[in-house]
Amino acid sequence: MAERADGAVRRVNVSFSPPTPNGDLHLGHLAGPVLGSDVCARSQKILGNDVVYACSTDDNQTYVVTTAQRVGVTPEELIRQALDSTRRSLELAGVEVDLYERPDERYTTFVRDFFTHLWKHGAFDRREVHLPYDAEADEYRAEAFVTGRCPTCLAHARAGVCEACGLYNLPGALLASDAETALPTRPVSIWVLDLERYRSLLTHWYRVSDVPLRPDLQKVVDLTLAGRLPYIPITYPSTWGIQVDWDGPDAPPQAINAWPEIYVGHLHWPQRVRERGRAGCDEFVQFIGIDNGFYNAFVYVALKLLAVRHGLPVELPVTRTLTNQYYLLEGRKFSTSKGDVLWAGEYLEKAGRDRARFVLALTSPELQQSEFTEQVAEGTLSARFDTPLATIARTLGEKLAGRSVEAPPSAWWAAAIEASRRRFEAAYTLETFSIRKAAEALALHLEVLALRAGQVRADDASDVSGALLFLWTLRTLAWPVTPDLAGAVAAAFGADATGIPLLRDAAEPPAGEFRALSV
């Protein structure tokens, strides 16, 4: 197994942004945080690390309420439907989470106790703010209920974080898109996390951290630190979400803001897996869309440091926040709430698990926006996955069926195996992790083998052994990206296809002879 500097096994927790249960996962979710986190968790396993991979649905978001109203069901019905559909899509995609649940009573108590502990220690401030007020419903409006223009970049936005620029805006700060229908604001007292109050805590964190941020998140951090840091509502006057009675039993109801709540979920769900006899983690890797970047970079860091300061049993592992930009559908960001989607489950059924994972990884919007069309995806799959695999299966089946690795590989094959292994390792190592690079390494491995397979000299044991060993390494190297292909390679040599292959054993020759590769 991979080891820490002290010789112990490296313990890694992996998670992705909890999906709002207002529908199935769409391809933007899958190509971004979901597939990225699964490939990461798998890659850490082949590196020999102790991995926990856990997440939940994000039931307390106001988007649940607005979507339920739009489609004519109750929020609870919508949550149950979404949980069933997202679980099915995760299974279709081969996303092997240790735990994927929805918030329950134990979780609710954990969240309420966490925030109440910080509130009792004075971490939050009570402040009067102006929030949009719906007089007809006699309710304050926030988050998904409020739309307008971002006061920073003028893009259409909902209250909270602008998806275009990634910066924070308060519900009452949005520029009204339609002055005639804009709700008036009314003052109300809520509890807030004043980030400016903790500026030195945050700047020190980033000054001493040696974990680089992806460029889009670094930009959010730099732009935010350049001005006065905002205050973030910790509670809203609402009956939706986890209720707290910090203002007394006779005060109007207040619920914990679902965005800060997500951080506590990142603590809770992996902990529920590790409490089954497994130690805590050294590193936490979280995969998010850039629209969650502000909360991760500021709110979650502040909550983590305040929890430690005020005596909560919170670890401070190395934290890697891996952002992605947006998948575009005809120039528009994938959005469940706006109906601009291609559903993950539908595409997975049409394309197949490995084919979908490969093309979504290869075109993932890791560092910049990426356009998706099924026509282009099919062309990419044909050229870089289907055709090379078919060539490999046919050519090696005809020339090398019944042969085995009986000699050291030739110098050419040895160099090719080492080069491909280095490419995959660079993609899988946490410090340089990239699913696009992993998919590109896989595409090149297939391309090289397809081109070279027809040239293998059947009377040269080192050439035969090299070709078979180059194919065999995919049992390990391909497992994080295309697990079915890895299983097919194992089966082609009569090997166990159910266990986790380890990278350190990738070049160890298979015991059995090559039969045929079924793809």
Side-chain angles (χ1 to χ4, degrees):
M1 286 193 170
E3 295 184 347
R4 304 180 305 183
D6 61 2
V9 173
R10 198 173 184 180
R11 299 168 309 215
V12 182
N13 287 354
V14 179
S15 189
F16 57 91
S17 300
T20 302
N22 57 353
D24 191 8
L25 300 172
H26 58 60
L27 285 194
H29 294 134
L30 187 56
V34 177
L35 185 57
S37 58
D38 183 66
V39 173
C40 179
R42 287 172 175 271
S43 67
Q44 294 311 296
K45 289 176 182 177
I46 71 169
L47 291 172
N49 293 329
D50 172 18
V51 180
V52 164
Y53 181 28
C55 192
S56 74
T57 54
D58 193 12
D59 290 11
N60 295 317
Q61 286 287 353
T62 51
Y63 288 89
V64 175
V65 181
T66 57
T67 301
Q69 291 174 348
R70 189 180 75 245
V71 301
V73 299
T74 66
E76 180 61 26
E77 288 175 311
L78 181 65
I79 290 170
R80 287 201 303 268
Q81 292 169 9
L83 180 63
D84 289 343
S85 60
T86 54
R87 276 179 169 163
R88 178 174 177 274
S89 290
L90 293 175
E91 183 178 358
L92 283 172
V95 174
E96 295 188 339
V97 286
D98 296 304
L99 178 150
Y100 180 71
E101 298 289 347
R102 59 171 296 192
D104 55 14
E105 184 176 346
R106 181 180 172 188
Y107 167 83
T108 298
T109 299
F110 185 88
V111 171
R112 185 183 289 116
D113 289 349
F114 178 94
F115 283 101
T116 299
H117 182 95
L118 293 185
W119 168 75
K120 286 180 178 178
H121 282 79
F124 309 135
D125 299 307
R126 195 166 187 267
R127 187 164 298 181
E128 184 177 271
V129 301
H130 283 76
L131 294 179
Y133 180 75
D134 185 337
E136 184 176 342
D138 189 26
E139 291 179 346
Y140 289 93
R141 298 301 193 189
E143 303 296 336
F145 288 100
V146 184
T147 63
R149 293 286 171 175
C150 172
T152 301
C153 73
L154 297 183
H156 183 270
R158 295 185 186 272
V161 168
C162 173
E163 293 183 348
C165 67
L167 299 181
Y168 185 78
N169 61 75
L170 283 166
L174 286 174
L175 304 177
S177 298
D178 184 346
E180 301 236 346
T181 60
L183 291 173
T185 62
R186 179 182 286 191
V188 62
S189 291
I190 62 173
W191 290 91
V192 304
L193 173 66
D194 187 347
L195 292 173
E196 184 63 32
R197 176 180 166 192
Y198 302 112
R199 174 181 284 273
S200 61
L201 198 68
L202 293 163
T203 54
H204 177 73
W205 169 265
Y206 283 110
R207 188 164 51 246
V208 300
S209 174
D210 59 356
V211 179
L213 303 177
R214 284 183 169 171
D216 49 5
L217 187 56
Q218 186 63 58
K219 182 179 179 182
V220 168
V221 170
D222 293 342
L223 288 174
T224 303
L225 287 175
R228 181 177 179 82
L229 299 180
Y231 61 84
I232 308 302
I234 291 296
T235 63
Y236 276 123
S238 174
T239 57
W240 182 256
I242 298 175
Q243 305 290 301
V244 291
D245 59 356
W246 299 344
D247 296 326
D250 298 326
Q254 295 264 345
I256 295 170
N257 182 355
W259 288 101
E261 177 196 325
I262 290 173
Y263 165 70
V264 189
H266 286 327
L267 297 176
H268 178 78
W269 299 113
Q271 179 178 305
R272 279 174 74 155
V273 178
R274 288 201 174 272
E275 69 186 10
R276 305 168 192 167
R278 299 171 70 176
C281 76
D282 306 304
E283 301 193 37
F284 174 48
V285 190
Q286 51 190 347
F287 287 77
I288 63 170
I290 188 58
D291 50 342
N292 291 334
F294 169 83
Y295 290 105
N296 279 266
F298 287 95
V299 180
Y300 302 171
V301 171
L303 289 174
K304 172 169 53 181
L305 297 176
L306 288 169
V308 172
R309 171 184 287 183
H310 295 303
L312 283 168
V314 172
E315 298 175 315
L316 284 177
V318 173
T319 300
R320 301 183 189 278
T321 302
L322 299 184
T323 53
N324 62 266
Q325 280 288 340
Y326 305 128
Y327 236 174
L328 301 180
L329 179 65
E330 297 180 359
R332 304 184 306 276
K333 173 185 176 288
F334 277 71
S335 172
T336 303
S337 59
K338 296 178 184 177
D340 293 332
V341 293
L342 283 176
W343 297 115
E346 293 176 5
Y347 182 69
L348 284 159
E349 285 187 327
K350 285 191 292 186
R353 176 161 60 188
D354 265 16
R355 296 176 80 247
R357 287 175 67 101
F358 173 80
V359 76
L360 294 178
L362 192 64
T363 60
S364 174
E366 279 187 317
L367 301 179
Q368 61 187 28
Q369 293 179 347
S370 178
E371 184 84 28
F372 179 87
T373 67
E374 290 191 70
Q375 182 179 3
V376 173
E378 279 303 304
T380 300
L381 280 166
S382 176
R384 308 207 69 188
F385 193 73
D386 300 340
T387 300
L389 267 178
T391 300
I392 292 165
R394 184 185 68 254
T395 307
L396 294 186
E398 291 172 354
K399 299 187 70 171
L400 302 183
R403 303 294 297 272
S404 58
V405 179
E406 300 171 346
S410 68
W412 193 95
W413 283 112
I417 290 169
E418 180 59 26
S420 189
R421 176 183 169 127
R422 284 199 304 269
R423 283 191 70 113
F424 276 101
E425 277 192 298
Y428 292 153
T429 300
L430 285 179
E431 290 76 7
T432 53
F433 180 84
S434 167
I435 59 171
R436 286 190 74 137
K437 290 179 180 178
E440 182 64 28
L442 176 55
L444 287 172
H445 198 106
L446 296 177
E447 177 184 318
V448 166
L449 187 53
L451 290 171
R452 188 82 177 183
Q455 304 170 28
V456 174
R457 299 185 303 279
D459 59 348
D460 185 336
S462 65
D463 202 26
V464 170
S465 295
L468 293 178
L469 198 55
F470 195 75
L471 172 64
W472 170 250
T473 60
L474 285 180
R475 172 180 172 265
T476 302
L477 300 178
W479 189 73
V481 180
T482 50
D484 292 337
L485 173 59
V489 171
F493 289 90
D496 177 22
T498 60
I500 298 171
L502 294 176
L503 186 61
R504 64 171 179 250
D505 301 328
E508 288 295 316
E513 65 181 27
F514 176 66
R515 302 169 182 178
L517 178 64
S518 177
V519 294

